[in-house]
Amino acid sequence: MSSIIEKKKQVVDEITEKFQASQTAVIVDYRGLDVAEVTELRKQLRDEGIDFKVYKNTMTRRAVEAADLSGLNDTLVGPTAVAFSNDDVVAPARIINDFAKKHQELEIKGGVIEGEVATLDQMQELATLPNYEGMVSMLLSVLQAPIRNFAYVTKSVAEQKEEQGA
């Protein structure tokens, strides 16, 4: 009997550590997805370095209490899976949101963003952000705009002077 309790404690400790170590954790209801669809979702998440696990709600509740994330207890009803990301804050929400557009059965319930409980609206907003490479690209575009505009102005002034001189 005590070995079963020890195993459960280990699982609760594992979940607690994952919540504490992850940048983002997305809680989803996967009810209605068949095995092939869940496998495809797992593959997409794994390719981005995201850990996707299904745990018993009772163990997850104990883990969120231990991690001081008790605001998640309301989301831990029905079939629940959690996607943990240690590196990219945006990736799990974005991938799951994109997958949910094609598979209406998948539903984001809530999550954790950098150690703080996030609402469904916050998770949806996070899902619409571009990934890291997209954000860097946008930043570089903004930084290049003044230089590009200066080059256009210089070129147009040079062309005007050339026309006047001709």
Side-chain angles (χ1 to χ4, degrees), residues 73-146:
N73 282 332
D74 295 340
T75 63
L76 299 173
V77 178
T80 303
V82 186
F84 297 100
S85 175
N86 295 342
D87 301 323
D88 193 344
V89 176
V90 178
R94 179 179 40 81
I95 292 168
I96 291 171
N97 190 51
D98 290 347
F99 195 84
K101 288 178 184 175
K102 298 174 195 154
H103 304 90
Q104 302 297 322
E105 299 86 10
L106 186 66
E107 175 186 340
I108 297 176
K109 295 180 178 183
V112 177
I113 302 171
E114 295 184 343
E116 298 294 323
V117 176
T119 64
L120 177 59
D121 292 335
Q122 290 170 326
M123 295 308 294
Q124 294 290 350
E125 189 174 320
L126 182 67
T128 61
L129 293 175
N131 63 3
Y132 178 78
E133 289 81 19
M135 287 185 197
V136 169
S137 173
M138 291 167 71
L139 175 64
L140 291 175
S141 174
V142 168
L143 293 176
Q144 287 178 341

Side-chain angles (χ1 to χ4, degrees), residues 32-87:
L33 294 178
D34 61 30
V35 174
E37 292 168 335
V38 172
T39 303
E40 175 61 25
L41 177 59
R42 282 181 193 272
K43 181 187 177 310
Q44 288 179 19
L45 291 168
R46 194 177 326 110
D47 289 346
E48 293 289 326
I50 300 162
D51 190 19
F52 186 74
K53 296 273 187 171
V54 176
Y55 294 108
K56 290 187 174 225
N57 287 336
T58 54
M59 291 190 201
T60 307
R61 278 192 198 97
R62 289 182 182 172
V64 297
E65 292 292 333
D68 293 326
L69 300 169
S70 57
L72 291 175
N73 282 332
D74 295 340
T75 63
L76 299 173
V77 178
T80 303
V82 186
F84 297 100
S85 175
N86 295 342
D87 301 323

